[in-house]
Amino acid sequence: MNLIEVPEDYPVHRHPAPSCSGRAISLTNRSGVPKTSTRGSHVCSIGEPRVMFFESTLERRAQLRAFAHPGAVRAEEQQRLEYIDAAGRRTHHWFDLLLTTSREVIAIAVKPYDIAERSDFRTLLQLIAIQTPKHFADRVVLVTERNLPRDVVYNAELIHSVRLDPEPDVDEVVRAKISTIPEPLRINDLTTRCGIGGSAFRSVVRLIAAGEINLAHRGSRIAPSSLISFPAVGDICS
């Protein structure tokens, strides 16, 4: 029987690390009635590959958008913070996401816009923000569906996908090609010049996420027809 020799650098599947959520997913409301919103998990595409849970489609989209945040290095779901409420009682709030970037830590509360407005949730967050210690977060923000337009979510999904499927050799080919192209052009023109097939498109998306390629129309959907340009070396995001 012939044995197959596996090279030392051959990619081996590794399970993602467990979630660091501060609490288990809630399947019912406070009255014990089953919740009808989406429940699930995916693998975080920044930092260490790790399972992350979400308790609604809106939370999932907010997480994906956070993964695509420039300079993002870590994301943690459902993190608890104690505070004193308006009546002077000690209580706590579960932040849906704690996003660490190269510059700051952002505590993110995710809530449908209508519910946030109806329950005066912004006032509550302002009270919590005043009491948030710097060792927990630098600032507190509210994310609703109004902060997550369709093209932004689409790009975040795409960036998440290509980061989970890294191809460093392909990225180097694309980097070498863009170093010879001073003028803006469309993504499909760049990928054609690279001559390595469809993997070049996924590489371009990774480099857009890394700040090495700019979309000419910020916030537009990433597509083969998108116009792109290349920042000066000193302008590339770290």
Side-chain angles (χ1 to χ4, degrees):
M1 180 176 65
N2 295 326
L3 297 178
I4 299 175
E5 293 186 4
V6 180
E8 291 184 2
D9 60 349
Y10 191 82
V12 177
H13 171 75
R14 291 181 175 85
H15 290 289
S19 166
C20 60
S21 173
R23 64 174 176 82
I25 286 182
S26 174
L27 299 179
T28 62
N29 62 21
R30 293 180 180 178
S31 301
V33 177
K35 293 185 177 180
T36 57
S37 55
T38 303
R39 299 290 188 274
S41 66
H42 51 187
V43 177
C44 182
S45 57
I46 55 172
E48 177 188 28
R50 180 168 39 78
V51 173
M52 286 192 68
F53 294 106
F54 51 85
E55 295 182 316
S56 67
T57 298
L58 183 59
E59 275 191 24
R60 177 180 178 275
R61 290 172 178 171
Q63 287 182 3
L64 291 170
R65 178 63 185 90
F67 299 163
H69 187 289
V73 295
R74 182 176 174 83
E76 305 162 82
E77 77 276 40
Q78 299 303 330
Q79 298 299 305
R80 174 178 166 138
L81 177 67
E82 292 191 352
Y83 70 99
I84 306 299
D85 68 13
R89 297 169 298 195
R90 180 173 294 278
T91 184
H92 66 271
H93 178 76
W94 288 101
F95 277 98
D96 298 299
L97 189 63
L98 203 63
L99 177 67
T100 301
T101 75
S102 56
R103 298 182 179 181
E104 62 179 347
V105 179
I106 309 169
I108 300 173
V110 181
K111 190 78 69 177
Y113 179 84
D114 288 344
I115 294 178
E117 294 300 307
R118 189 165 61 242
S119 62
D120 203 18
F121 188 64
R122 294 179 190 275
T123 300
L124 173 62
L125 274 189
Q126 290 174 354
L127 176 64
I128 296 173
I130 293 172
Q131 302 178 52
T132 300
K134 287 295 183 181
H135 66 76
F136 183 84
D138 296 294
R139 60 189 176 103
V140 171
V141 301
L142 170 63
V143 171
T144 76
E145 68 276 13
R146 296 193 177 192
N147 304 114
L148 300 168
R150 183 175 299 178
D151 286 349
V152 168
V153 173
Y154 176 90
N155 289 349
E157 290 253 24
L158 183 58
I159 289 170
H160 177 66
S161 170
V162 301
R163 279 180 169 166
L164 291 175
D165 182 29
E167 295 181 284
D169 294 342
V170 175
D171 292 351
E172 287 306 313
V173 171
V174 176
R175 283 193 184 96
K177 181 58 65 175
I178 64 178
S179 68
T180 67
I181 304 174
E183 77 282 359
L185 78 169
R186 300 193 182 279
I187 290 179
N188 53 8
D189 293 330
L190 173 58
T191 56
T192 298
R193 294 190 192 190
C194 290
I196 52 176
S199 60
F201 175 79
R202 296 177 66 79
S203 174
V204 169
V205 176
R206 282 191 292 271
L207 297 183
I208 289 173
E212 297 181 48
I213 295 177
N214 291 335
L215 280 174
H217 304 291
R218 187 183 297 273
S220 63
R221 180 173 294 208
I222 300 173
S225 60
S226 298
L227 190 65
I228 54 175
S229 62
F230 315 108
V233 174
D235 295 332
I236 294 177
C237 298
S238 59

